[in-house]
């Protein structure tokens, strides 16, 4: 009878592993879908900004605020996302954020300026929460594969971001969607991500005590946390300034608008492979200072090339900048995990870094344009970007060192 009882138990043991594996696969798919939904609603707006402005009769200032508002939302809410996750659970907060993102996309595509800005604010706040919590979630759920999962997460996010930039105008003008239909289309991606996240509501209710314990580390007083934060801020500043003004600089140098747009697309495409591979490399290294050095050198080559180099080599300078951006983004996403010991610390560091980072990103394009207006030249703005590349290297040496935010000197 005892042997029979043991045999009967074997099928139950056999079910446990497939169930756990299926749960893990669902979580990976859920992370990929959420990541895909985090950039497309934002990057799809820029190419349509002229249509939106003309249709609603907006001033250039208000039209510019459509792209700036989400960045400000990132800066405002990012520090509070870890506390929300600590109180209500990471899976629950992420689910609410995805629901709010889906609703925000629909509201933004409604009629009237008020709905446009209300939906845009909802989108920004929702993305801010997911931006902060996903790196900590990956650290907690995939401790042995942080580099791989971070690479998958960042690649999915950036592929959809690039696709959204590229197809927005064709869909609006040639497919007859208009700007409202084109922006509303990304509801499908957000809704799909929300559906794939539903199983995690059950699977994550058994969260570990580590994820529910308040960290005693004062991140805002940690020199290492500030080095990671400044690395995040400087790479965000470089990226958003170049995205906003690169085409304008090229056109003023005598390039056609279509050619300048192609060069900008080349810059964005060049970063995609490295947003996947850099986290893999970083996760296998004792420290990441060599990757920081490569990042800064590539930024310097690209920026100095745009500033002082030949226009005939502009594609090369754009590729250097794109690769540098892929290195920088992949690195900073890994720093949130590599420089912390727990899921809560990773989320806290992510919130701190993204708050400051996106505040700099929001101010960068306007400051860059102001310097051009004052000096009537791109020399001073581009020189400051070169200085930012040097500062990125300096803070990156600390951020890439083999330490944790709670360590004493």
């Amino acid at each position: 009878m005892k042997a029979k009882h043991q045999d009967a138990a074997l099928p139950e043991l056999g079910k446990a592993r497939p169930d756990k594996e299926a749960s893990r696969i669902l979580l990976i798919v859920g992370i990929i879908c959420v990541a895909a939904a985090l950039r497309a609603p934002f990057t799809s707006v820029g190419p349509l900004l002229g249509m939106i402005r003309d249709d609603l009769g907006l001033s250039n200032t208000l039209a510019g605020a459509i792209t700036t508002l989400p960045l400000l939302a990132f800066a405002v809410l990012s520090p509070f996302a870890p506390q929300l996750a600590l109180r209500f659970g990471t899976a629950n907060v992420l689910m609410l954020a995805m629901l709010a993102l889906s609703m925000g996309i629909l509201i933004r595509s409604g009629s009237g300026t008020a709905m446009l800005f209300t939906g845009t604010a909802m989108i920004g706040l929702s993305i801010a929460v997911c931006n902060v919590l996903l790196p900590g979630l990956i650290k907690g759920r995939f401790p042995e594969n942080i580099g791989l999962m971070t690479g998958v997460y960042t690649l999915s996010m950036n592929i959809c971001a690039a696709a959204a930039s590229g197809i927005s105008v064709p869909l609006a003008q040639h497919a007859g969607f208009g700007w409202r239909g084109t922006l509303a289309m990304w509801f499908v991606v957000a809704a799909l991500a929300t559906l794939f996240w539903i199983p995690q509501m059950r699977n994550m209710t058994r969260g570990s005590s580590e994820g529910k314990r308040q960290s005693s580390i004062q991140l805002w007083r940690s020199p290492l946390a500030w080095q990671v934060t400044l690395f995040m801020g400087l790479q965000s500043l470089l990226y958003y300034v170049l995205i906003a003004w690169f085409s304008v600089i090229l056109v003023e140098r005598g390039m056609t608008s279509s050619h300048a747009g192609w060069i900008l697309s080349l810059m964005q495409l060049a970063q995609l492979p490295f947003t996947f591979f850099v986290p893999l490399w970083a996760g296998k290294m004792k420290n990441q200072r060599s990757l920081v050095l490569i990042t800064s050198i590539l930024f310097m080559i690209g920026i100095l090339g745009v500033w002082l180099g030949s226009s005939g080599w502009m594609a090369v300078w754009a590729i250097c900048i794109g690769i540098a951006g892929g290195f920088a983004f992949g690195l900073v996403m890994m720093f949130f995990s590599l420089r912390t010991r727990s899921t809560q610390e990773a989320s806290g560091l992510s919130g701190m870094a993204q708050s400051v980072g996106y505040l700099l990103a929001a101010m960068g394009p306007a400051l860059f344009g102001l310097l051009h207006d004052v000096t009537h030249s791109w020399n001073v703005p581009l020189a400051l970007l070169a200085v930012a590349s040097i500062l990125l290297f300096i803070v990156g040496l600390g951020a890439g060192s083999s330490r944790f935010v709670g360590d004493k000197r």
Side-chain angles (χ1 to χ4, degrees):
M1 291 295 291
K2 184 176 181 180
K4 185 177 180 180
H5 177 73
Q6 288 177 337
D7 291 342
L10 289 176
E12 294 300 319
L13 293 172
K15 288 180 182 178
R17 185 172 293 277
D19 288 348
K20 186 175 181 180
E21 190 65 25
S23 175
R24 188 178 178 85
I25 292 172
L26 277 176
L27 177 57
I28 293 172
V29 174
I31 289 172
I32 292 172
C33 290
V34 171
L38 293 187
R39 285 294 181 271
F42 179 68
T43 59
S44 60
V45 173
L48 302 175
L49 207 54
M51 297 182 202
I52 298 171
R53 179 195 60 198
D54 296 340
D55 185 41
L56 296 178
L58 302 177
S59 65
N60 285 325
T61 302
L62 275 178
I66 297 172
T67 56
T68 303
L69 185 59
L71 294 176
L72 293 176
F74 296 168
V76 170
L77 190 59
S78 291
F80 302 104
Q83 281 70 39
L84 291 173
L86 193 66
R87 182 170 182 179
F88 300 107
T90 299
N92 297 332
V93 174
L94 283 170
M95 172 60 82
L96 289 175
M98 293 308 301
L99 288 171
L101 176 62
S102 302
M103 292 174 59
I105 291 171
L106 292 180
I107 291 171
R108 181 179 64 176
S109 302
S111 60
T113 303
M115 294 188 72
L116 172 68
F117 282 96
T118 300
T120 299
M122 290 179 64
I123 289 169
L125 294 171
S126 303
I127 292 175
V129 171
C130 297
N131 277 342
V132 170
L133 297 184
L134 277 177
L137 176 71
I138 289 171
K139 179 178 178 65
R141 293 286 167 167
F142 302 94
E144 303 300 323
N145 296 288
I146 293 175
L148 175 62
M149 285 306 303
T150 301
V152 168
Y153 157 64
T154 55
L155 182 64
S156 175
M157 186 164 51
N158 285 289
I159 284 177
C160 283
S165 296
I167 68 175
S168 289
V169 172
L171 286 176
Q173 291 184 341
H174 306 304
F177 282 33
W179 70 264
R180 297 180 194 278
T182 302
L183 294 183
M185 180 188 71
W186 298 107
F187 168 80
V188 176
V189 178
L192 186 64
T194 305
L195 287 175
F196 272 107
W197 200 252
I198 290 175
Q200 307 313 321
M201 303 291 289
R202 181 188 73 248
N203 295 337
M204 291 189 189
T205 53
R206 304 182 299 273
S208 66
S209 59
E210 178 189 25
K212 297 178 182 179
R213 185 172 64 243
Q214 179 69 50
S215 173
S216 61
I217 296 173
Q218 298 296 319
L219 288 174
W220 292 86
R221 297 180 181 178
S222 166
L224 178 57
W226 272 107
Q227 288 167 332
V228 173
T229 295
L230 290 174
F231 190 90
M232 173 70 190
L234 288 167
Q235 70 89 25
S236 298
L237 176 72
L238 287 162
Y239 176 78
Y240 283 101
V241 165
L242 289 165
I243 284 293
W245 290 105
F246 193 45
S247 295
V248 178
I249 294 172
L250 298 186
V251 170
E252 289 195 14
R253 294 280 173 86
M255 196 174 287
T256 64
S257 297
S258 59
H259 191 189
W262 178 82
I263 295 292
L264 180 62
S265 297
L266 183 64
M267 185 181 81
Q268 292 179 278
L269 289 172
Q271 76 173 350
L272 290 180
F274 298 94
T275 59
F276 176 75
F277 288 113
V278 168
L280 285 177
W281 299 335
K284 296 177 181 179
M285 301 171 74
K286 184 177 180 181
N287 67 66
Q288 293 74 39
R289 288 177 169 178
S290 60
L291 298 179
V292 169
L293 176 62
I294 294 171
T295 302
S296 298
I297 289 174
L298 287 170
F299 266 130
M300 284 294 294
I301 292 173
I303 291 167
L304 291 177
V306 173
W307 181 16
L308 304 170
S310 169
S311 297
W313 287 69
M314 203 58 73
V316 175
W317 314 138
I319 289 172
C320 287
I321 292 171
I323 294 174
F327 264 77
F329 188 75
L331 274 173
V332 78
M333 290 295 108
M334 283 298 290
F335 287 159
F336 301 150
S337 296
L338 295 176
R339 303 287 86 91
T340 56
R341 286 190 170 92
S342 69
T343 299
Q344 183 63 24
E345 286 178 10
S347 296
L349 180 58
S350 175
M352 174 182 171
Q354 296 196 53
S355 175
V356 175
Y358 285 117
L359 185 60
L360 284 173
M363 295 188 301
L367 177 61
F368 195 81
L370 177 63
L371 288 172
H372 174 263
D373 291 342
V374 170
T375 62
H376 304 288
S377 169
W378 294 112
N379 291 335
V380 172
L382 287 170
L384 287 179
L385 288 188
V387 171
S389 300
I390 296 172
L391 293 175
L392 187 75
F393 171 68
I394 293 171
V395 299
L397 287 179
S401 61
S402 182
R403 294 183 294 151
F404 296 101
V405 291
D407 289 349
K408 296 181 179 180
R409 288 184 178 274

